Amino acid sequence: MTPRHDDGELSLRWSGRVSLTPRILFVNIFALALLAGGFFYLDSYRSRIVDSRVAQASREARLIAEALRSVQPERRDALALRLARDTGARLRIYDEAGTLISDTRALGLRNAVLQDPDKQDWGQGAARFLDAMIDTVVGAPRAPLFRERAAGLDWPDVRTARNTETAPATVWRAPDRTPVITAAAAIPGPKGERRVVMTTTNATDITQTVRVERFRLSVVLLIVAIVSILLSLFLARTIVRPLRKLARAAVRVRLGRAREVVVPRLPTRRDEVGMLARALSDMSLALRARIDATEAFAADVTHEMKNPLASLRSAVEGLSLVRDPELQERLLAIVRDDVHRMDRLITDISEASRLDAQLSRAKFEQVDIGAMIAALLEQRADRGTERGIRLRFDQRPGEPLIVMGEGARLERVFENLIDNAVSFSPDGGLITIAAARDQEDLVIKVEDDGPGVPEEAREQVFSRFQSLRPESEEFGKHSGLGLAIARTIVEGHQGTISVESREDRLSGARFVVTLPLRDRR
């Protein structure tokens, strides 16, 4: 019993690995990743601000040192408080031994106070975590952790300032990941004393600015990501879903269910997917028609072959029983006729079955139809026409009758039409062949003086094994494939062939062949 293939089995199991949906999502998310490169820009932006603050801290330290040197020692603490309030920095003054002799915090000014991470809310903790994660991703340098020193010489800024006028500022990292900037400058005193003032600034505004910009960028990225994912899913749905339907229909056709498969045409889709759906639908209909035609052709071939085989079998069986030489000769004549008939049938059937494939691979060249018809009529005149039938070719002198096609096939068309006209023409009849240009087409007409074709049978005569032969013609002389082969060849050249009655006579048939003057393949 043949296993049943349901829609689940026809859903193309490999589609999960090659589906367009993750590809569309990946392309759009990749574009967002490029936008996320703004975080790297924010890191460089923060570095530039910190560098600016470092330079500012060095200048402020020098200015504060000059200001403190210019005042009396008893007024130094008051000036230090005022300068600390103006700059927002904590000022500490050390003597040559590194002993702390003045501190604005001890004087009651609590600025540059570092926050305790354990006492901050969850929002600040989340912000610190995001800072650490982003700094790790962008590879930002990590400053050393800020810790208070008991002695002044434990500060690198103080040690450097003792030996030089100024020392470069140092950037530290507070427990809450905000930058702390320390700078020191020497205060020359009497008798060669070199005291040092150190400033400490907690640049929380830098971190706040960067966090705000990161938050804005994150919100933009989040919104764009959601919109991009939704649009990607929508795009994938509008593309992938119909393609899966078409793929399932194609699998059903491959499994031999062409007759029961209805390929969706998607009439509302005017894009490439709709064009593909309609093309596949037309292809499946053409395949279905081709399968039906093949089955009908096979049935017709079987039927046509049975008749001569039955006659041949009867004649052969009669030969074994008949002793009369005259009757035996008649039976042998029947055998010869049936063998010739089968040979003609097999030849025509072979050509008809291969004709479509051969035409699809044929390379068209320029063919002079006028010269071809003239050569055919000349050959017939050399052989001599039967029953005194006359042949005439009407062609305008000097008019080229060039079409793109395969010469041998087109010659077969007109040879079949002339044979058909001869078989239907009365003794001494006239067959007229006329060819003329009609805009972008070449029209060839083959007329005879025969009985004509009834209107209800004018399409039937082009069917395979259909033949309305004259009563006087010997049975089995024609296979009934001549006009069918002619139509196949003409349609393979993007032309048409039809039959009509002659307007200038009460009887007679006119076959009209129309071929394009340009190749339309």
Side-chain angles (χ1 to χ4, degrees):
M1 183 176 180
T2 303
R4 180 178 177 271
H5 297 272
D6 55 13
D7 288 341
E9 292 175 309
L10 297 177
S11 61
L12 302 177
R13 298 168 183 254
W14 42 262
S15 63
R17 288 174 287 183
V18 295
S19 176
L20 292 176
T21 302
R23 297 185 183 184
I24 294 174
L25 285 172
F26 172 77
V27 170
N28 291 331
I29 296 302
F30 180 75
L32 289 178
L34 297 179
L35 181 61
F39 287 109
F40 291 89
Y41 169 75
L42 288 179
D43 179 68
S44 63
Y45 171 70
R46 178 183 60 183
S47 298
R48 289 195 300 271
I49 296 179
V50 171
D51 292 341
S52 176
R53 290 295 182 87
V54 167
Q56 178 183 346
S58 297
R59 290 193 301 270
E60 289 180 351
R62 290 197 304 270
L63 294 175
I64 291 174
E66 291 293 332
L68 293 177
R69 186 182 66 173
S70 63
V71 298
Q72 297 297 325
E74 62 272 10
R75 299 181 56 188
R76 188 170 293 167
D77 290 343
L79 179 59
L81 285 173
R82 187 167 67 249
L83 292 174
R85 291 191 185 95
D86 292 341
T87 60
R90 177 183 176 183
L91 303 184
R92 282 176 278 194
I93 302 175
Y94 296 93
D95 60 14
E96 286 187 342
T99 304
L100 180 64
I101 60 176
S102 180
D103 185 358
T104 56
R105 181 167 298 178
L107 297 175
L109 181 62
R110 297 188 59 81
N111 58 355
V113 178
L114 305 184
Q115 298 184 9
D116 185 357
D118 297 333
K119 297 182 179 179
Q120 296 179 13
D121 56 14
W122 65 272
Q124 292 293 330
R128 290 198 309 274
F129 173 77
L130 290 176
D131 287 343
M133 183 177 65
I134 295 174
D135 289 345
T136 302
V137 172
V138 301
R142 189 175 183 180
L145 183 63
F146 180 84
R147 299 179 183 277
E148 289 291 344
R149 269 71 170 172
L153 296 180
D154 293 337
W155 295 100
D157 306 271
V158 175
R159 292 197 303 270
T160 305
R162 287 180 60 199
N163 303 319
T164 61
E165 291 294 329
T166 59
T170 304
V171 180
W172 308 85
R173 172 173 52 89
D176 60 351
R177 302 191 64 83
T178 57
V180 178
I181 302 174
T182 59
I187 307 176
K191 300 179 183 180
E193 296 180 357
R194 291 183 64 87
R195 297 181 180 181
V196 176
V197 58
M198 187 182 78
T199 62
T200 305
T201 305
N202 187 196
T204 56
D205 58 321
I206 297 178
T207 302
Q208 291 173 354
T209 301
V210 173
R211 285 177 179 176
V212 169
E213 296 302 324
R214 282 178 177 173
F215 175 76
R216 292 175 179 174
L217 181 59
S218 301
V219 171
V220 172
L221 281 176
L222 179 61
I223 295 175
V224 174
I226 293 174
V227 173
S228 179
I229 291 174
L230 293 178
L231 290 178
S232 300
L233 294 177
F234 171 76
L235 181 61
R237 179 173 180 175
T238 57
I239 295 178
V240 175
R241 177 174 290 184
L243 288 181
R244 284 179 177 171
K245 290 182 179 179
L246 296 177
R248 290 174 182 173
V251 172
R252 287 181 178 271
V253 173
R254 179 178 61 82
L255 294 176
R257 304 178 182 180
R259 286 190 177 86
E260 66 183 56
V261 175
V262 178
V263 179
R265 296 185 63 85
L266 305 179
T268 58
R269 297 289 295 262
R270 299 299 177 186
D271 53 5
E272 287 78 3
V273 175
M275 294 172 60
L276 175 62
R278 288 182 285 277
L280 287 178
S281 178
D282 294 339
M283 183 183 68
S284 65
L285 294 177
L287 177 61
R288 186 180 306 171
R290 181 64 60 86
I291 293 174
D292 293 340
T294 302
E295 293 180 351
F297 181 65
D300 292 339
V301 168
T302 303
H303 176 73
E304 292 296 324
M305 294 292 291
K306 282 184 178 180
N307 292 332
L309 283 175
S311 175
L312 183 62
R313 183 173 59 249
S314 299
V316 172
E317 290 175 355
L319 281 174
S320 63
L321 301 176
V322 174
R323 297 292 181 265
D324 185 358
E326 182 179 354
L327 187 55
Q328 286 181 346
E329 183 62 29
R330 291 173 57 187
L331 289 174
L332 287 174
I334 293 175
V335 170
R336 285 192 293 270
D337 289 342
D338 287 338
V339 170
H340 291 159
R341 183 183 173 194
M342 289 185 63
D343 180 68
R344 184 168 51 252
L345 273 173
I346 292 173
T347 301
D348 290 345
I349 288 170
S350 176
E351 181 176 1
S353 62
R354 292 182 288 112
L355 196 56
D356 288 338
Q358 291 175 345
L359 285 174
S360 65
R361 297 191 299 266
K363 183 179 180 180
F364 285 1
E365 300 176 347
Q366 289 187 351
V367 179
D368 189 340
I369 299 297
M372 175 190 296
I373 296 176
L376 285 175
L377 297 183
E378 185 178 352
Q379 292 173 6
R380 284 182 174 271
D382 293 341
R383 294 196 306 264
T385 56
E386 56 188 87
R387 295 184 289 113
I389 296 174
R390 295 164 295 158
L391 298 172
R392 188 179 70 190
F393 181 34
D394 293 338
Q395 179 186 7
R396 295 177 184 176
E399 183 180 22
L401 304 177
I402 306 296
V403 299
M404 296 298 296
E406 190 178 12
R409 299 296 180 186
L410 292 175
E411 183 176 346
R412 177 66 184 274
V413 171
F414 298 112
E415 190 173 357
N416 287 358
L417 292 178
I418 294 174
D419 284 340
N420 184 76
V422 169
S423 65
F424 280 95
S425 294
D427 296 344
L430 175 64
I431 298 175
T432 303
I433 304 172
R437 298 168 63 97
D438 181 14
Q439 295 180 356
E440 296 185 357
D441 295 322
L442 176 62
V443 180
I444 304 99
K445 299 179 181 179
V446 181
E447 301 177 346
D448 61 56
D449 295 336
V453 182
E455 186 174 354
E456 64 275 6
R458 290 177 182 174
E459 188 65 27
Q460 181 183 353
V461 296
F462 294 103
S463 301
R464 291 169 174 171
F465 304 110
Q466 298 294 328
S467 181
L468 302 176
R469 309 311 307 175
E471 295 181 359
S472 60
E473 185 178 286
E474 183 180 352
F475 175 76
K477 188 175 180 180
H478 291 82
S479 63
L481 289 171
L483 292 179
I485 291 175
R487 167 167 278 189
T488 302
I489 295 174
V490 171
E491 291 180 348
H493 287 73
Q494 288 76 50
T496 60
I497 182 172
S498 61
V499 60
E500 58 187 30
S501 299
R502 297 180 60 179
E503 296 87 354
D504 57 342
R505 291 178 178 270
L506 296 177
S507 63
R510 176 189 292 127
F511 285 83
V512 182
V513 177
T514 302
L515 294 173
L517 293 173
R518 299 178 181 177
D519 190 3
R520 299 173 184 168
R521 289 195 297 175

